[in-house]
Amino acid sequence: MPPVTTIQRPPTLTPQVEHRQPHFLLTLLDSAWFPWVWMALWAAAQVGHALVSWHFIATGAALLGSDDTGAGLHLYATHPQLQIGPLTFLAAAPLNGLPAWLSGSVAAVVIAATAPAMLLSLSHLPHLTVTSRQRGLAAAVLLPVWAELAVHYTHLDDALALVLLIAGMHAVARCRPIPAALLLAASADAKPWALAFVPLLLVLPRDRWHRAVLVWLVAVAAAWLPFVLADSLTLHAGGFSIPNVASSSLRAMGVTAASTPSWDRPVQLLLGIALGAVAVHRGRWLVVPAVVLATRMLLDPGAYPYYTAGLVLATVIVDLGWLRTRWPWVSMGVVLGLYAVRNIGPFTPTNEILGWLRAATLLGVLAVALGPGLPAHRVRDSRRNPSAAYSDILPSESPDSVIT
């Protein structure tokens, strides 16, 4: 009988075990330096038309430290167009001695740097896992819009309010009521619309609510009350109006007044607080910033591009922290519906259509944040069990099992 010869064949790799090199672009997104380089590129693209609104900050900072008539504590009574919190003017005061172009440039660089830093900080929220890919994709969506806020407009007030908001959310997530209250109050002291973030304090255990809210009230009053006591006309600064532009969502919803209606600002604030409280009640505290900012923008007579930067940051939190999607779908929708559609040259829709798109996009954000249905990782109602208040950020899946 002839001998049997055994032929050894090389093992065949199935598609499941073959190692595939990631695409070059994905490798870039995964790198730690990508958000910083991406921010620098978009900031550079705005340099030719930069610092559009910096004069408001510079003027307010100079007036706050001046003894002239109508300055100091009479600032808001005589200059109601400065819809900026005193904390912002204090932050800008060290730049007073510099030429306006130089002080604005310094502020623009600092504001631009805060966006990649805030994205990185989201990875450090307790029990929240953010992959390099998720952070890179979020940076790709957020930072082009953030360059409008940082370099084109240089709105230090909005940026400072948002940075303090993120810091306050870290304090809330770590159950630190006093720092949380102080940081959220400081956010409102930088920009008045940030008052509506106060429902975040309801995420804290119930027995700490009263102390946290009291500290918040004192910190807010400490910044604003001196101006009211020095000049009662300060109270009228809240009635300052801006044009109700043709592409605003407010006009799309049928409010055709030429400028800000007298009821508009109070309704923005109260409705934002109410819907933020509803989000916390439903155990969705991470969506509160998106709810507040979408409500504000929906009812705002303006449609400035820098408004969108704050909302995209807030929806990034929704995408990464609450929905936990691999792709930042909500943020991408916001950028498309509010920003990109306004920058497509001859294909830009009419103002009326832009207004409808704006309203639809903002209502869509509210629907995602407050609508029916919960992500798979949400397991219990924080109002029934205060210790579960942070279940939005409890890990219940590995990074590879995020929703797509």
Side-chain angles (χ1 to χ4, degrees), residues 246-294:
S247 61
S248 73
S249 50
L250 187 66
R251 188 174 288 273
M253 293 189 299
V255 179
T256 58
S259 59
T260 313
S262 59
W263 52 264
D264 188 64
R265 299 301 185 194
V267 171
Q268 283 182 22
L269 178 62
L270 294 175
L271 185 59
I273 292 173
L275 294 180
V278 169
V280 173
H281 177 78
R282 300 193 65 188
R284 304 180 182 191
W285 75 279
L286 287 172
V287 310
V288 169
V291 167
V292 168
L293 291 173

Short mmCIF file of all heavy atoms in Angstrom, two decimals, residues 246-294:
data_model
loop_
_atom_site.label_atom_id
_atom_site.label_comp_id
_atom_site.label_asym_id
_atom_site.label_seq_id
_atom_site.Cartn_x
_atom_site.Cartn_y
_atom_site.Cartn_z
N ALA A 246 -35.53 88.30 8.62
CA ALA A 246 -36.42 87.53 7.75
C ALA A 246 -36.18 86.03 7.82
O ALA A 246 -37.09 85.24 7.51
CB ALA A 246 -36.27 88.02 6.30
N SER A 247 -34.98 85.61 8.20
CA SER A 247 -34.67 84.18 8.25
C SER A 247 -34.74 83.60 9.65
O SER A 247 -34.28 82.49 9.89
CB SER A 247 -33.26 83.93 7.68
OG SER A 247 -32.28 84.60 8.46
N SER A 248 -35.33 84.33 10.60
CA SER A 248 -35.43 83.82 11.97
C SER A 248 -36.55 82.79 12.09
O SER A 248 -37.53 82.82 11.35
CB SER A 248 -35.69 84.97 12.95
OG SER A 248 -37.02 85.45 12.83
N SER A 249 -36.38 81.88 13.02
CA SER A 249 -37.43 80.90 13.28
C SER A 249 -38.64 81.58 13.93
O SER A 249 -39.77 81.12 13.77
CB SER A 249 -36.90 79.78 14.17
OG SER A 249 -36.24 80.30 15.31
N LEU A 250 -38.41 82.66 14.67
CA LEU A 250 -39.52 83.39 15.29
C LEU A 250 -40.46 83.92 14.22
O LEU A 250 -41.69 83.79 14.33
CB LEU A 250 -38.96 84.54 16.13
CG LEU A 250 -39.97 85.31 16.99
CD1 LEU A 250 -40.55 84.43 18.08
CD2 LEU A 250 -39.31 86.54 17.61
N ARG A 251 -39.89 84.49 13.16
CA ARG A 251 -40.74 84.99 12.07
C ARG A 251 -41.40 83.83 11.33
O ARG A 251 -42.56 83.93 10.90
CB ARG A 251 -39.90 85.83 11.11
CG ARG A 251 -40.70 86.55 10.05
CD ARG A 251 -39.83 87.48 9.23
NE ARG A 251 -39.43 88.67 9.97
CZ ARG A 251 -40.15 89.78 10.05
NH1 ARG A 251 -41.33 89.85 9.45
NH2 ARG A 251 -39.70 90.83 10.71
N ALA A 252 -40.68 82.71 11.18
CA ALA A 252 -41.26 81.54 10.50
C ALA A 252 -42.48 81.01 11.25
O ALA A 252 -43.38 80.43 10.64
CB ALA A 252 -40.21 80.45 10.35
N MET A 253 -42.50 81.21 12.58
CA MET A 253 -43.62 80.72 13.38
C MET A 253 -44.76 81.74 13.47
O MET A 253 -45.70 81.55 14.23
CB MET A 253 -43.14 80.34 14.77
CG MET A 253 -42.21 79.14 14.78
SD MET A 253 -41.83 78.54 16.44
CE MET A 253 -41.03 79.97 17.15
N GLY A 254 -44.66 82.81 12.68
CA GLY A 254 -45.78 83.74 12.59
C GLY A 254 -45.65 85.02 13.37
O GLY A 254 -46.56 85.86 13.34
N VAL A 255 -44.52 85.23 14.08
CA VAL A 255 -44.32 86.47 14.81
C VAL A 255 -43.65 87.46 13.87
O VAL A 255 -42.45 87.36 13.59
CB VAL A 255 -43.45 86.26 16.08
CG1 VAL A 255 -43.25 87.57 16.81
CG2 VAL A 255 -44.10 85.23 16.98
N THR A 256 -44.40 88.41 13.37
CA THR A 256 -43.90 89.30 12.31
C THR A 256 -43.51 90.67 12.83
O THR A 256 -43.30 91.59 12.03
CB THR A 256 -44.97 89.45 11.22
OG1 THR A 256 -46.17 89.96 11.81
CG2 THR A 256 -45.25 88.12 10.54
N ALA A 257 -43.39 90.85 14.13
CA ALA A 257 -42.96 92.13 14.69
C ALA A 257 -41.61 92.51 14.11
O ALA A 257 -40.77 91.64 13.81
CB ALA A 257 -42.88 92.04 16.21
N ALA A 258 -41.37 93.80 13.96
CA ALA A 258 -40.13 94.26 13.35
C ALA A 258 -38.91 94.00 14.22
O ALA A 258 -37.80 93.86 13.71
CB ALA A 258 -40.23 95.75 13.04
N SER A 259 -39.11 93.95 15.54
CA SER A 259 -38.00 93.72 16.46
C SER A 259 -38.46 92.81 17.59
O SER A 259 -39.60 92.32 17.59
CB SER A 259 -37.48 95.06 17.02
OG SER A 259 -38.52 95.74 17.69
N THR A 260 -37.60 92.60 18.57
CA THR A 260 -37.89 91.67 19.66
C THR A 260 -39.18 92.05 20.38
O THR A 260 -39.28 93.15 20.93
CB THR A 260 -36.74 91.68 20.69
OG1 THR A 260 -35.49 91.58 20.00
CG2 THR A 260 -36.89 90.53 21.66
N PRO A 261 -40.20 91.18 20.42
CA PRO A 261 -41.40 91.48 21.20
C PRO A 261 -41.08 91.59 22.68
O PRO A 261 -40.13 90.96 23.17
CB PRO A 261 -42.31 90.28 20.91
CG PRO A 261 -41.77 89.66 19.67
CD PRO A 261 -40.30 89.90 19.69
N SER A 262 -41.85 92.35 23.40
CA SER A 262 -41.57 92.57 24.83
C SER A 262 -41.66 91.28 25.64
O SER A 262 -41.00 91.13 26.67
CB SER A 262 -42.55 93.61 25.40
OG SER A 262 -43.90 93.17 25.22
N TRP A 263 -42.45 90.32 25.17
CA TRP A 263 -42.64 89.08 25.91
C TRP A 263 -41.56 88.04 25.59
O TRP A 263 -41.45 87.01 26.27
CB TRP A 263 -44.00 88.45 25.57
CG TRP A 263 -44.24 88.29 24.09
CD1 TRP A 263 -44.92 89.14 23.27
CD2 TRP A 263 -43.78 87.21 23.24
NE1 TRP A 263 -44.94 88.67 21.97
CE2 TRP A 263 -44.24 87.50 21.92
CE3 TRP A 263 -43.05 86.05 23.46
CZ2 TRP A 263 -43.98 86.65 20.84
CZ3 TRP A 263 -42.77 85.22 22.38
CH2 TRP A 263 -43.24 85.51 21.10
N ASP A 264 -40.75 88.30 24.58
CA ASP A 264 -39.91 87.25 24.02
C ASP A 264 -38.82 86.77 24.98
O ASP A 264 -38.66 85.57 25.20
CB ASP A 264 -39.28 87.74 22.71
CG ASP A 264 -38.56 86.63 21.97
OD1 ASP A 264 -39.23 85.67 21.56
OD2 ASP A 264 -37.34 86.72 21.80
N ARG A 265 -38.02 87.69 25.53
CA ARG A 265 -36.92 87.28 26.40
C ARG A 265 -37.40 86.54 27.64
O ARG A 265 -36.84 85.49 27.99
CB ARG A 265 -36.07 88.49 26.79
CG ARG A 265 -35.41 89.22 25.63
CD ARG A 265 -34.49 88.34 24.82
NE ARG A 265 -33.78 89.09 23.78
CZ ARG A 265 -33.12 88.54 22.78
NH1 ARG A 265 -33.07 87.23 22.66
NH2 ARG A 265 -32.51 89.29 21.89
N PRO A 266 -38.44 87.04 28.34
CA PRO A 266 -38.93 86.28 29.50
C PRO A 266 -39.43 84.88 29.13
O PRO A 266 -39.19 83.92 29.88
CB PRO A 266 -40.07 87.15 30.04
CG PRO A 266 -39.76 88.52 29.57
CD PRO A 266 -39.10 88.36 28.23
N VAL A 267 -40.10 84.77 27.99
CA VAL A 267 -40.60 83.45 27.59
C VAL A 267 -39.44 82.52 27.24
O VAL A 267 -39.46 81.33 27.59
CB VAL A 267 -41.58 83.59 26.40
CG1 VAL A 267 -41.93 82.21 25.83
CG2 VAL A 267 -42.85 84.29 26.85
N GLN A 268 -38.43 83.02 26.56
CA GLN A 268 -37.24 82.21 26.29
C GLN A 268 -36.68 81.62 27.57
O GLN A 268 -36.38 80.42 27.65
CB GLN A 268 -36.15 83.06 25.62
CG GLN A 268 -36.34 83.38 24.16
CD GLN A 268 -35.17 84.18 23.62
OE1 GLN A 268 -34.08 84.16 24.17
NE2 GLN A 268 -35.39 84.89 22.53
N LEU A 269 -36.53 82.48 28.58
CA LEU A 269 -35.92 82.05 29.84
C LEU A 269 -36.80 81.06 30.58
O LEU A 269 -36.35 79.98 30.99
CB LEU A 269 -35.64 83.28 30.70
CG LEU A 269 -35.04 83.03 32.08
CD1 LEU A 269 -33.68 82.37 31.96
CD2 LEU A 269 -34.93 84.34 32.86
N LEU A 270 -38.08 81.42 30.76
CA LEU A 270 -38.98 80.57 31.56
C LEU A 270 -39.26 79.24 30.87
O LEU A 270 -39.30 78.19 31.53
CB LEU A 270 -40.28 81.33 31.83
CG LEU A 270 -40.14 82.58 32.71
CD1 LEU A 270 -41.47 83.31 32.81
CD2 LEU A 270 -39.61 82.23 34.09
N LEU A 271 -39.45 79.27 29.56
CA LEU A 271 -39.71 78.01 28.85
C LEU A 271 -38.46 77.13 28.86
O LEU A 271 -38.57 75.91 29.00
CB LEU A 271 -40.15 78.31 27.42
CG LEU A 271 -40.58 77.10 26.59
CD1 LEU A 271 -41.75 76.38 27.25
CD2 LEU A 271 -40.95 77.52 25.17
N GLY A 272 -37.29 77.74 28.72
CA GLY A 272 -36.05 76.96 28.80
C GLY A 272 -35.89 76.29 30.15
O GLY A 272 -35.51 75.11 30.22
N ILE A 273 -36.18 77.03 31.22
CA ILE A 273 -36.09 76.44 32.56
C ILE A 273 -37.11 75.31 32.72
O ILE A 273 -36.79 74.23 33.25
CB ILE A 273 -36.31 77.53 33.63
CG1 ILE A 273 -35.14 78.51 33.64
CG2 ILE A 273 -36.50 76.91 35.01
CD1 ILE A 273 -35.34 79.70 34.55
N ALA A 274 -38.33 75.55 32.26
CA ALA A 274 -39.38 74.54 32.40
C ALA A 274 -39.03 73.26 31.64
O ALA A 274 -39.15 72.15 32.18
CB ALA A 274 -40.72 75.10 31.92
N LEU A 275 -38.60 73.39 30.39
CA LEU A 275 -38.27 72.20 29.60
C LEU A 275 -37.00 71.53 30.12
O LEU A 275 -36.88 70.30 30.07
CB LEU A 275 -38.10 72.58 28.13
CG LEU A 275 -39.37 73.06 27.41
CD1 LEU A 275 -39.08 73.41 25.96
CD2 LEU A 275 -40.47 72.00 27.50
N GLY A 276 -36.06 72.33 30.64
CA GLY A 276 -34.88 71.73 31.27
C GLY A 276 -35.26 70.90 32.48
O GLY A 276 -34.72 69.81 32.70
N ALA A 277 -36.21 71.41 33.28
CA ALA A 277 -36.69 70.65 34.44
C ALA A 277 -37.39 69.36 34.01
O ALA A 277 -37.26 68.32 34.66
CB ALA A 277 -37.62 71.52 35.28
N VAL A 278 -38.14 69.43 32.91
CA VAL A 278 -38.79 68.22 32.38
C VAL A 278 -37.74 67.19 31.99
O VAL A 278 -37.88 65.99 32.28
CB VAL A 278 -39.68 68.57 31.18
CG1 VAL A 278 -40.15 67.31 30.45
CG2 VAL A 278 -40.88 69.40 31.62
N ALA A 279 -36.67 67.64 31.35
CA ALA A 279 -35.60 66.72 30.95
C ALA A 279 -34.97 66.05 32.16
O ALA A 279 -34.73 64.83 32.16
CB ALA A 279 -34.53 67.48 30.15
N VAL A 280 -34.72 66.81 33.22
CA VAL A 280 -34.15 66.23 34.44
C VAL A 280 -35.14 65.24 35.05
O VAL A 280 -34.76 64.15 35.50
CB VAL A 280 -33.78 67.33 35.44
CG1 VAL A 280 -33.35 66.73 36.78
CG2 VAL A 280 -32.66 68.20 34.88
N HIS A 281 -36.41 65.62 35.08
CA HIS A 281 -37.44 64.74 35.63
C HIS A 281 -37.49 63.40 34.90
O HIS A 281 -37.73 62.36 35.52
CB HIS A 281 -38.80 65.44 35.54
CG HIS A 281 -39.95 64.59 36.02
ND1 HIS A 281 -40.23 64.40 37.35
CD2 HIS A 281 -40.87 63.87 35.33
CE1 HIS A 281 -41.29 63.60 37.47
NE2 HIS A 281 -41.69 63.27 36.25
N ARG A 282 -37.22 63.42 33.63
CA ARG A 282 -37.24 62.20 32.83
C ARG A 282 -35.91 61.46 32.85
O ARG A 282 -35.73 60.49 32.13
CB ARG A 282 -37.63 62.52 31.39
CG ARG A 282 -39.00 63.17 31.26
CD ARG A 282 -39.46 63.19 29.82
NE ARG A 282 -39.68 61.83 29.31
CZ ARG A 282 -39.94 61.54 28.05
NH1 ARG A 282 -40.00 62.52 27.15
NH2 ARG A 282 -40.12 60.29 27.67
N GLY A 283 -34.96 61.93 33.66
CA GLY A 283 -33.68 61.26 33.77
C GLY A 283 -32.75 61.56 32.62
O GLY A 283 -31.84 60.78 32.34
N ARG A 284 -32.93 62.70 31.93
CA ARG A 284 -32.13 63.03 30.76
C ARG A 284 -31.33 64.31 31.00
O ARG A 284 -31.34 65.23 30.19
CB ARG A 284 -33.04 63.22 29.54
CG ARG A 284 -33.93 62.03 29.25
CD ARG A 284 -34.80 62.30 28.03
NE ARG A 284 -35.70 61.18 27.75
CZ ARG A 284 -36.41 61.05 26.65
NH1 ARG A 284 -36.35 61.96 25.70
NH2 ARG A 284 -37.20 60.01 26.47
N TRP A 285 -30.61 64.38 32.09
CA TRP A 285 -29.98 65.64 32.47
C TRP A 285 -28.92 66.09 31.47
O TRP A 285 -28.68 67.29 31.32
CB TRP A 285 -29.39 65.53 33.88
CG TRP A 285 -28.12 64.74 34.00
CD1 TRP A 285 -27.99 63.39 34.07
CD2 TRP A 285 -26.80 65.28 34.09
NE1 TRP A 285 -26.67 63.04 34.20
CE2 TRP A 285 -25.92 64.18 34.22
CE3 TRP A 285 -26.27 66.56 34.07
CZ2 TRP A 285 -24.54 64.33 34.32
CZ3 TRP A 285 -24.90 66.72 34.18
CH2 TRP A 285 -24.04 65.61 34.31
N LEU A 286 -28.32 65.17 30.74
CA LEU A 286 -27.29 65.55 29.78
C LEU A 286 -27.86 66.31 28.57
O LEU A 286 -27.11 66.93 27.82
CB LEU A 286 -26.53 64.32 29.29
CG LEU A 286 -25.56 63.70 30.31
CD1 LEU A 286 -25.01 62.38 29.80
CD2 LEU A 286 -24.42 64.65 30.64
N VAL A 287 -29.16 66.27 28.37
CA VAL A 287 -29.76 66.99 27.24
C VAL A 287 -30.19 68.39 27.63
O VAL A 287 -30.63 69.15 26.76
CB VAL A 287 -30.96 66.21 26.64
CG1 VAL A 287 -30.60 64.77 26.37
CG2 VAL A 287 -32.19 66.31 27.52
N VAL A 288 -30.07 68.77 28.90
CA VAL A 288 -30.55 70.08 29.35
C VAL A 288 -29.93 71.23 28.56
O VAL A 288 -30.65 72.13 28.10
CB VAL A 288 -30.33 70.25 30.86
CG1 VAL A 288 -30.59 71.71 31.29
CG2 VAL A 288 -31.25 69.32 31.64
N PRO A 289 -28.60 71.28 28.35
CA PRO A 289 -28.05 72.39 27.56
C PRO A 289 -28.65 72.48 26.16
O PRO A 289 -28.95 73.59 25.68
CB PRO A 289 -26.55 72.08 27.51
CG PRO A 289 -26.29 71.28 28.74
CD PRO A 289 -27.52 70.44 28.91
N ALA A 290 -28.84 71.34 25.50
CA ALA A 290 -29.43 71.36 24.16
C ALA A 290 -30.86 71.86 24.19
O ALA A 290 -31.29 72.63 23.32
CB ALA A 290 -29.36 69.97 23.54
N VAL A 291 -31.62 71.45 25.19
CA VAL A 291 -33.01 71.90 25.32
C VAL A 291 -33.07 73.41 25.54
O VAL A 291 -33.86 74.13 24.91
CB VAL A 291 -33.70 71.14 26.49
CG1 VAL A 291 -35.02 71.80 26.85
CG2 VAL A 291 -33.93 69.69 26.11
N VAL A 292 -32.24 73.90 26.45
CA VAL A 292 -32.24 75.33 26.77
C VAL A 292 -31.84 76.17 25.55
O VAL A 292 -32.50 77.16 25.20
CB VAL A 292 -31.29 75.61 27.95
CG1 VAL A 292 -31.04 77.11 28.11
CG2 VAL A 292 -31.87 75.04 29.24
N LEU A 293 -30.78 75.77 24.87
CA LEU A 293 -30.29 76.56 23.75
C LEU A 293 -31.21 76.45 22.53
O LEU A 293 -31.41 77.44 21.81
CB LEU A 293 -28.88 76.13 23.39
CG LEU A 293 -27.84 76.50 24.47
CD1 LEU A 293 -26.48 75.88 24.14
CD2 LEU A 293 -27.71 78.00 24.59
N ALA A 294 -31.79 75.28 22.30
CA ALA A 294 -32.73 75.14 21.18
C ALA A 294 -33.97 76.00 21.43
O ALA A 294 -34.50 76.63 20.50
CB ALA A 294 -33.11 73.68 20.99
#
